[in-house]
Amino acid sequence: MERTVDSFVACMDRTDQPSKSQVDFRTSRQGTICISSIEDVRPAAEALRDLARDLGNLRVAACANIASKMAMADADGNALASDVFGWPGSKDQWWKKPLLALSSPLTFACRYESEPFWVNADGIRTRAPNPLLDKIDLSHFHDEVNAASVIVIPVHLPFGQIGVVSFSPIDEGRSDLSREFDAYADVLEYQGRRFINGYSRVTSQRPWIPRNCRLSKREVECLRWAALGKTDVEIAMILNRSCATVRFHIHNAAIKLEAVNRSQTVFKATQLGYLGSVAVAAPGTHATA
Amino acid sequence: MERTVDSFVACMDRTDQPSKSQVDFRTSRQGTICISSIEDVRPAAEALRDLARDLGNLRVAACANIASKMAMADADGNALASDVFGWPGSKDQWWKKPLLALSSPLTFACRYESEPFWVNADGIRTRAPNPLLDKIDLSHFHDEVNAASVIVIPVHLPFGQIGVVSFSPIDEGRSDLSREFDAYADVLEYQGRRFINGYSRVTSQRPWIPRNCRLSKREVECLRWAALGKTDVEIAMILNRSCATVRFHIHNAAIKLEAVNRSQTVFKATQLGYLGSVAVAAPGTHATA
DNA sequence: AAAAAACCTAGCGCTAGTCACAGGTTTTGG
DNA sequence: CCAAAACCTGTGACTAGCGCTAGGTTTTTT
């Protein structure tokens, strides 16, 4: 067990601030944000705002679904960005611009990263190296983010939904958040995640109720290749089966997932994690027969 | 601000055990699992095992990708389930059976839930109600899970990958984990998540490097409907555009995502969260012109 | 041993992918 | 302010690929 502990100590990057972070974590638990109905959204957002302000004079921005242009709102339909988090209403209300969600480097990075990170114009700082983030363009960082630096919490949810909570300094000068990130990333992640989780739960209607989606081995196998863009002729060659067989399996999968065509079948299977991160399954699959 | 605090207190479900959980969280931070290379997997797994044992005499089971039949292993290729977590090698090694991952109710539930929950033969207990989990069949619970009860931590990752860490009592009699869940769910979630995060980072090769995937508004709009199974004729009617225009947009999206056909385009767009949780976008979209 | 799944195959009609073309609208940048 | 560059809209036709039904074989479950 000693060996184990040692290796962890070597990994730790915050041992220099033990007492502070402990207190934060305690605070976080007592103020745990719990959203059980739409009425809880407002107080939960206010608590998140207060937490961010008290911890590091930070301002909150949140998006429950980066694929949606819908701004987050409370039970009365008031936008959280302006009414709670205190973003100036003048500056042409960035959170209403649908283009931003599609082009912001922050949104972009959230697609590829699962852990908290912080960003300024000089680069993206993750806990562990992520080469996928290296090629993100930060040249218009300040214009797109409305801050000189920001701590970002990506929140990956079921059904392929991605949310994000970000924290940027209220006084716009600060471009270094390394200290705040080291000290508060964990608590901000915890609270931000629960906030987005709860908000999604009470707002998004999930109309799709799959009856029996126990896909068989072959069905998933065929769907994997289909998701990679292979035609059924190609899949048939890969799996050493007939073309009709491949179609049959995919068709069966479509019935189980209540999908009407191949695209929707792939979509639903992806949402449910059946095809997750297919890095081209092991070679030699054509030797199964 | 008083109102805020009050509403949270009403939501809190663990105020009866304040001191205990605080200690746990402190412990968790000092023993933070950090996997920066494949060699760290083994000690990280051992630490997770020790944490589970010390907290509640629990045994760990983990899966980094419920879509893959690959068992988690350390740098030398040893299966973590048998070599570290201590699952008996005799009982025909459940973690090697690919069918289980497709049919286990635990795996199933992870597709629909983002927060920790615990299960026994009587039902699934989530923090907040989740109607999607109600219809899951638990009649063969003990056979499929190899335990009378279990705490489950779903881990939703980028690219549509879903992982899971579960904790079940070492002595197989216990079927009630409500106390352990209330006290340790947060720390188990934190540690389990970081473990799966780190493992995925050092093991899974992500060969796909999207060059320019700034999809335009129309492209995403068309892809949404395509993912819902609409044909391009239907999409054209919905958006009040010509059929060829719809094809044009989807084709452009395919080029940006480096996809070769519609299915792969939908797949990649889903992985990147462009279509996340499409609950049929707001009506009236045909009035944009 | 019976039953139920899962698996494999064939052929027909329809959809989607692609090409070449022409022009309007919004954003971006000098 | 103008120009360039994206982005958006539209036409028409051909071919490869997909959706679907029907029926037989193998494997798993009861």
Side-chain angles (χ1 to χ4, degrees):
Chain A
M1 215 199 291
E2 308 75 24
R3 185 171 57 84
T4 317
V5 172
D6 287 352
S7 59
F8 286 154
V9 172
C11 287
M12 284 297 293
D13 50 355
R14 327 179 182 75
T15 43
D16 47 340
Q17 305 170 345
S19 62
K20 186 151 197 172
S21 43
Q22 283 162 26
V23 173
D24 300 337
F25 242 121
R26 275 221 298 275
T27 308
S28 83
R29 285 185 57 82
Q30 298 203 344
T32 293
I33 295 166
C34 179
I35 301 176
S36 45
S37 82
I38 185 71
E39 278 76 23
D40 299 329
V41 168
R42 180 87 184 209
E46 289 169 345
L48 193 61
R49 173 200 61 191
D50 296 339
L51 175 72
R53 194 203 322 109
D54 297 344
L55 281 184
N57 201 28
L58 301 172
R59 179 155 52 186
V60 180
C63 174
N65 185 356
I66 63 173
S68 167
K69 56 186 175 188
M70 293 279 291
M72 293 179 75
D74 64 11
D76 302 325
N78 305 310
L80 298 184
S82 55
D83 287 21
V84 177
F85 299 142
W87 289 91
S90 58
K91 216 172 181 178
D92 55 21
Q93 302 188 316
W94 57 265
W95 63 88
K96 283 191 178 177
K97 299 172 74 174
L99 309 102
L100 195 69
L102 289 173
S103 63
S104 162
L106 265 47
T107 309
F108 225 72
C110 286
R111 304 185 194 279
Y112 302 107
E113 176 62 46
S114 56
E115 296 195 310
F117 56 93
W118 75 274
V119 198
N120 63 12
D122 297 330
I124 300 177
R125 276 78 169 190
T126 50
R127 280 180 183 160
N130 185 344
L132 296 176
L133 303 184
D134 293 342
K135 49 177 66 64
I136 291 183
D137 177 28
L138 296 174
S139 52
H140 307 96
F141 178 78
H142 195 283
D143 293 338
E144 293 171 317
V145 181
N146 289 311
S149 56
V150 57
I151 292 175
V152 182
I153 315 291
V155 184
H156 291 260
L157 298 168
F159 295 92
Q161 185 176 332
I162 302 177
V164 54
V165 184
S166 69
F167 303 89
S168 48
I170 293 178
D171 47 331
E172 292 197 12
R174 292 157 63 196
S175 62
D176 186 342
L177 287 174
S178 54
R179 191 183 60 80
E180 287 82 356
F181 183 77
D182 289 344
Y184 309 130
D186 281 334
V187 60
L188 293 178
E189 177 183 17
Y190 179 79
Q191 297 291 2
R193 178 181 299 279
R194 294 208 68 166
F195 179 63
I196 297 293
N197 270 335
Y199 184 87
S200 299
R201 202 182 293 272
V202 300
T203 58
S204 78
Q205 65 284 25
R206 300 255 170 76
W208 176 42
I209 306 143
R211 245 169 298 182
N212 168 29
C213 36
R214 297 205 168 182
L215 300 184
S216 76
K217 190 177 134 194
R218 292 283 180 214
E219 287 158 0
V220 174
E221 199 171 14
C222 291
L223 275 185
R224 285 236 174 83
W225 291 109
L228 291 174
K230 306 298 179 186
T231 70
D232 40 12
V233 178
E234 292 172 318
I235 300 174
M237 288 192 298
I238 292 169
L239 301 179
N240 209 25
R241 294 286 179 281
S242 101
C243 182
T245 303
V246 174
R247 285 180 199 161
F248 175 80
H249 286 307
I250 294 180
H251 177 68
N252 271 7
I255 292 175
K256 291 183 184 175
L257 294 173
E258 299 176 24
V260 298
N261 61 18
R262 185 167 302 203
S263 294
Q264 195 182 16
T265 308
V266 167
F267 175 60
K268 288 190 168 185
T270 308
Q271 280 193 318
L272 295 182
Y274 281 107
L275 315 179
S277 191
V278 275
V280 180
T285 33
H286 49 283
T288 43
Chain B
M1 216 202 288
E2 307 74 25
R3 184 171 57 84
T4 318
V5 172
D6 288 351
S7 60
F8 286 155
V9 171
C11 287
M12 284 296 294
D13 50 355
R14 327 182 181 73
T15 43
D16 47 340
Q17 305 169 345
S19 62
K20 185 149 197 173
S21 43
Q22 284 163 25
V23 173
D24 299 336
F25 241 121
R26 276 220 300 273
T27 308
S28 85
R29 283 186 57 80
Q30 298 203 342
T32 293
I33 294 167
C34 178
I35 300 176
S36 45
S37 80
I38 185 70
E39 278 76 23
D40 299 328
V41 168
R42 180 86 184 211
E46 289 170 344
L48 193 61
R49 173 199 61 192
D50 297 339
L51 175 72
R53 194 202 321 110
D54 297 344
L55 281 184
N57 201 28
L58 301 172
R59 179 155 52 188
V60 180
C63 174
N65 185 354
I66 63 173
S68 166
K69 56 185 175 188
M70 293 279 292
M72 292 179 73
D74 64 10
D76 302 324
N78 305 310
L80 298 184
S82 56
D83 287 21
V84 176
F85 298 142
W87 290 92
S90 58
K91 217 170 180 179
D92 55 22
Q93 301 188 317
W94 58 266
W95 62 89
K96 284 192 176 176
K97 299 171 75 174
L99 309 102
L100 195 69
L102 290 173
S103 64
S104 162
L106 264 47
T107 308
F108 226 73
C110 287
R111 304 185 193 279
Y112 303 106
E113 176 61 45
S114 56
E115 296 194 310
F117 55 93
W118 75 274
V119 198
N120 63 11
D122 298 330
I124 299 177
R125 275 79 169 191
T126 50
R127 280 178 183 161
N130 185 344
L132 296 176
L133 303 183
D134 294 342
K135 50 177 63 64
I136 291 184
D137 177 28
L138 297 175
S139 52
H140 307 95
F141 178 78
H142 195 283
D143 294 338
E144 293 171 316
V145 180
N146 289 312
S149 57
V150 58
I151 292 174
V152 182
I153 315 292
V155 184
H156 290 259
L157 298 168
F159 294 94
Q161 184 176 332
I162 302 176
V164 54
V165 184
S166 69
F167 303 89
S168 49
I170 293 179
D171 49 330
E172 291 196 12
R174 292 158 62 194
S175 62
D176 185 344
L177 287 173
S178 55
R179 191 183 59 80
E180 287 82 357
F181 183 77
D182 289 343
Y184 309 130
D186 282 334
V187 60
L188 293 179
E189 177 183 17
Y190 178 79
Q191 296 291 4
R193 179 181 298 279
R194 295 209 64 166
F195 179 64
I196 297 293
N197 270 336
Y199 184 88
S200 299
R201 204 182 292 273
V202 300
T203 59
S204 78
Q205 65 284 25
R206 301 253 170 77
W208 176 42
I209 306 144
R211 244 170 298 182
N212 169 29
C213 35
R214 297 205 169 182
L215 300 185
S216 75
K217 191 177 136 194
R218 292 285 179 213
E219 286 158 359
V220 173
E221 198 172 16
C222 291
L223 275 185
R224 284 233 173 85
W225 291 109
L228 290 174
K230 306 297 180 189
T231 68
D232 40 12
V233 179
E234 291 172 317
I235 300 173
M237 289 191 298
I238 292 168
L239 300 180
N240 212 22
R241 295 287 177 280
S242 101
C243 180
T245 302
V246 174
R247 287 182 185 168
F248 174 81
H249 290 307
I250 293 181
H251 180 68
N252 269 9
I255 292 176
K256 290 184 183 175
L257 294 173
E258 300 175 23
V260 299
N261 60 18
R262 185 169 299 206
S263 296
Q264 194 181 15
T265 307
V266 167
F267 175 61
K268 288 190 169 184
T270 308
Q271 279 194 317
L272 295 182
Y274 280 106
L275 315 179
S277 191
V278 274
V280 180
T285 35
H286 50 282
T288 44

